[in-house]
Amino acid sequence: MREWTTIKEYEDILFDFYNGIARITINRERYRNAFTPTTTTEMSDALYICRERPDINVIVLTGAGDTAFCAGGDMNVKGHGGYIGKDGVARLNVLDVQKQIRSIPKPVIAAVNGFAIGGGHVLHVVCDLTIASENAIFGQTGPRVGSFDAGFGSSYLARIVGQKKAREIWFLCRKYNAQEALDMGLVNKVVPLDKLEDEYVGWAEEMMLLSPLALRMIKAGLNAELDGQAGIQELAGDATMLYYMTDEAQEGGKAFLEKRRPRFEDYPKFP
């Protein structure tokens, strides 16, 4: 039995840690783990912590219980302009969470343990990897309930499953079982529900044997082609970080502080 320790207490999510892995669990089982502005604000805060803490190497996103990963936005708090928070303001701040998952320089695994529907489906789509339990159900409901996601939920989905299949998923609002999701390339692996934790921990531990900087650059590179200038900025920022680690870059800074001409000619120019 693994001993997960709490990183921080929240109202709508559980946030715990085990052996280099941070796990964010949407903890609204009564509502099939549908999210409210409070939920997504807490998820955003947890993801910020995951980015900042050097002892966190891989992030897992999942849902409480054994019937739902996330059923999307909670329709009970949906109002004009978005989902209504405790302050009475309508928000779509799940979009911020999507962007954080995309840009965080660490692998993010979606552990889908039941329904991944609507906005919950989009959350798993934007994760780097998806491991599903055999009881997982995938699908979009937006056009049926007066909603849609024309961002990552459609454009990136189409890059994963193809344009025709993405249009089918959105235009018909059908549900797909775990095997169907695997067949269309929407998930990476399907396992029995009672083996889901073993599987995602195993995948995380396997990735932690690899170069974290290499994984960071691969993630940025894979995103850059799809994310336009924002993606290029992420990749360029990582390249700048690598450059700062070189003696050549250090020479520039030292020369400035020492009020002398930098000797860049001392450094190699690779073909």
Side-chain angles (χ1 to χ4, degrees):
M1 192 71 178
R2 295 179 190 89
E3 189 173 331
W4 295 81
T5 58
T6 299
I7 297 173
K8 184 176 176 180
E9 298 277 358
Y10 292 99
E11 183 180 338
D12 278 7
I13 67 171
L14 303 175
F15 186 32
D16 48 16
F17 178 85
Y18 168 79
N19 192 29
I21 306 165
R23 183 174 62 186
I24 299 170
T25 305
I26 302 175
N27 191 30
R28 303 187 78 239
E29 189 176 354
R30 176 183 172 189
Y31 304 99
R32 286 191 171 178
N33 297 319
F35 55 77
T36 70
T38 297
T39 319
T40 44
T41 296
E42 292 176 352
M43 291 171 71
S44 182
D45 184 67
L47 285 164
Y48 176 79
I49 293 169
C50 288
R51 181 165 193 149
E52 293 295 310
R53 274 185 48 166
D55 60 334
I56 293 173
N57 304 300
V58 178
I59 300 116
V60 173
L61 179 61
T62 192
D66 56 9
T67 60
F69 169 74
C70 175
D74 189 335
M75 298 297 288
N76 293 302
V77 298
K78 188 179 179 186
H80 285 83
Y83 294 87
I84 309 297
K86 291 178 179 178
D87 56 6
V89 177
R91 289 183 171 85
L92 287 170
N93 57 348
V94 71
L95 302 179
D96 296 325
V97 173
Q98 293 173 11
K99 287 185 285 188
Q100 280 180 282
I101 291 170
R102 291 281 288 179
S103 65
I104 197 167
K106 300 171 183 180
V108 183
I109 303 171
V112 178
N113 53 318
F115 286 96
I117 300 293
H121 187 260
V122 179
L123 280 177
H124 105 83
V125 166
V126 297
C127 290
D128 299 304
L129 300 163
T130 298
I131 302 172
S133 59
E134 291 173 340
N135 68 321
I137 300 292
F138 301 85
Q140 289 298 340
T141 57
R144 184 173 286 144
V145 297
S147 182
F148 62 88
D149 184 334
F152 288 130
S154 53
S155 62
Y156 184 46
L157 176 67
R159 289 299 186 111
I160 296 170
V161 301
Q163 280 280 345
K164 292 289 187 180
K165 198 68 180 178
R167 289 167 196 251
E168 174 193 317
I169 290 169
W170 275 105
F171 290 4
L172 282 81
C173 293
R174 290 176 175 171
K175 293 184 177 64
Y176 303 85
N177 63 35
Q179 185 58 51
E180 290 171 320
L182 184 65
D183 291 344
M184 71 174 87
L186 188 59
V187 307
N188 298 93
K189 185 78 180 282
V190 176
V191 296
L193 179 61
D194 63 355
K195 300 295 183 186
L196 185 59
E197 182 179 319
D198 288 341
E199 195 69 24
Y200 66 67
V201 168
W203 282 50
E205 290 178 338
E206 195 170 336
M207 285 188 284
M208 285 190 284
L209 296 175
L210 308 176
S211 161
L213 192 52
L215 295 182
R216 175 181 186 143
M217 297 302 294
I218 290 166
K219 177 168 179 172
L222 289 168
N223 288 345
E225 182 218 351
L226 305 176
D227 292 353
Q229 288 187 331
I232 293 169
Q233 183 207 37
E234 291 281 351
L235 183 60
D238 287 342
T240 302
M241 178 189 68
L242 286 174
Y243 174 59
Y244 284 166
M245 294 179 185
T246 67
D247 291 339
E248 181 178 340
Q250 293 299 313
E251 166 64 12
K254 284 183 201 170
F256 175 80
L257 294 173
E258 294 169 4
K259 297 182 171 55
R260 61 175 174 82
R261 182 185 70 81
R263 294 186 55 81
F264 289 130
E265 64 273 14
D266 293 346
Y267 300 93
K269 299 173 182 65
F270 298 102

